[in-house]
Amino acid sequence: MPGVKDRVAVVTGAANGLGREIALLLAREGARVALGDLDAAGLEQTASAITRAGGAAVTVVGDLTDEAPAARLIEAAVERLGGLDILVNNVGGSRNSKVWETSAEDWDFVLRLNLRSTFLCTRAAVARMMPRRYGRIVCMSSGAREGTPWTAYYQGGAAYSAAKAGVHGFVRDVALELAEHGINVNAVAPGPIDTERAGPTLKRLNATVELSPDRMTPLHRLGQPIEVAHAVLFLASEEASYITGHTLAVAGGR
Ligand SMILES: NC(=O)c1ccc[n+]([C@@H]2O[C@H](COP(=O)([O-])OP(=O)(O)OC[C@H]3O[C@@H](n4cnc5c(N)ncnc54)[C@H](O)[C@@H]3O)[C@@H](O)[C@H]2O)c1
């Protein structure tokens, strides 16, 4: 199976959590990777784990909600790795608060972080993919695209849910625009995943929420980062040739 072997992939937010796991898995499966993140030290750790294992990785440090760093990351893939086949728009996150306590600044921050980075990296990437008539774009939505009961009751997450629903809408439209150019655009929507940053809070909620007998998910547990990475790998692979405009839940049955 061709998978992602000898493909060039850009992964955003690759210094930590899901982005790191996705980058490591794509590299293990034979892709050369260009990694972007704000966190220079974390990015270096991901890249050196890949090169130590015999893979190829280049890094770009910068804020991917800004135009210049987003463009630099895409150009690094083209110039230093010889092309661009795959883009994983993983950067995202939240500042949770109840809606009546949410500042306009926090609202803008969350929408910008999740949507502007996705838009800017996609725009720069498709300019390079369209002439080659091949591309796989995988964006990071969330179970929150339809609202998250535990976040809503306990912390408030309306801005995050709005942003992740936005990713789903973005994928639907852009998939149609790019269909005739040979570029497939999909999203993965993780449920609660045990990353270093989100894991501790999610574990506490999973142990205490009383919203259903199944706690947070019917599978009765948090997901592992590798379980999200496998879904991204499939959508990034050549085999996902007849799938576009789809958001795939990786959410333990939620
Ligand atoms: N962990 C979960 O349970 C979960 C569930 C659903 C969706 N998600 C989504 O998956 C993605 C990754 O989540 P995670 O838990 O691994 O997050 P994380 O916070 O552990 O990692 C995010 C990475 O993005 C980087 N980053 C943040 N802002 C940036 C910016 N402006 N420019 C460049 N890099 C930036 C961070 O430095 C970090 O390395 C996000 O889009 C998140 O919303 C996570």
Side-chain angles (χ1 to χ4, degrees):
M1 306 249 277
V4 296
K5 196 165 164 26
D6 298 327
R7 296 288 182 187
V8 175
V10 163
V11 182
T12 73
N16 297 281
L18 299 180
R20 182 181 57 214
E21 198 72 25
I22 292 161
L24 294 172
L25 182 61
L26 291 176
R28 239 177 8 247
E29 294 295 317
R32 305 191 295 286
V33 293
L35 311 175
D37 206 292
L38 275 175
D39 171 0
L43 203 52
E44 214 32 62
Q45 280 180 10
T46 308
S48 58
I50 290 168
T51 49
R52 272 200 313 274
V58 300
T59 59
V60 171
V61 177
D63 182 344
L64 295 170
T65 67
D66 283 337
E67 289 190 85
R72 252 201 341 268
L73 175 59
I74 300 302
E75 290 317 301
V78 173
E79 283 163 21
R80 295 166 63 192
L81 298 175
L84 178 62
D85 304 297
I86 297 161
L87 167 65
V88 181
N89 282 314
N90 166 75
V91 160
S94 188
R95 284 180 182 167
N96 288 331
S97 54
K98 299 285 192 180
V99 70
W100 60 89
E101 291 166 347
T102 301
S103 65
E105 187 204 350
D106 281 357
W107 175 270
D108 288 346
F109 174 85
V110 173
L111 266 76
R112 181 182 171 104
L113 179 61
N114 290 278
L115 287 173
R116 200 164 194 265
S117 55
T118 296
F119 156 62
L120 290 175
C121 292
T122 300
R123 188 181 63 180
V126 299
R128 293 302 195 158
M129 290 173 173
M130 284 164 71
R132 295 157 54 117
R133 301 201 54 77
Y134 183 90
R136 297 279 185 270
I137 299 175
V138 186
C139 302
M140 202 56 82
S141 183
S142 164
R145 75 196 181 287
E146 297 185 83
T148 41
W150 51 84
T151 309
Y153 279 123
Y154 292 86
Q155 303 164 341
Y160 184 68
S161 293
K164 292 306 195 184
V167 171
H168 172 69
F170 178 81
V171 160
R172 294 286 305 153
D173 263 44
V174 176
L176 298 187
E177 290 177 31
L178 291 170
E180 64 186 286
H181 298 279
I183 302 167
N184 294 17
V185 188
N186 294 289
V188 167
I193 309 298
D194 190 8
T195 54
E196 318 88 279
R197 240 172 258 186
T201 308
L202 291 169
K203 276 187 194 141
R204 190 169 40 75
L205 285 173
N206 191 43
T208 54
V209 291
E210 288 165 6
L211 296 171
S212 87
D214 293 317
R215 299 259 164 92
M216 291 171 92
T217 70
L219 286 185
H220 291 270
R221 63 175 178 84
L222 303 188
Q224 292 304 309
I226 190 69
E227 296 178 291
V228 177
H230 278 300
V232 173
L233 170 66
F234 172 61
L235 291 173
S237 73
E238 213 166 308
E239 287 81 358
S241 45
Y242 202 51
I243 305 172
T244 196
H246 184 69
T247 296
L248 175 63
V250 183
R254 198 181 83 82

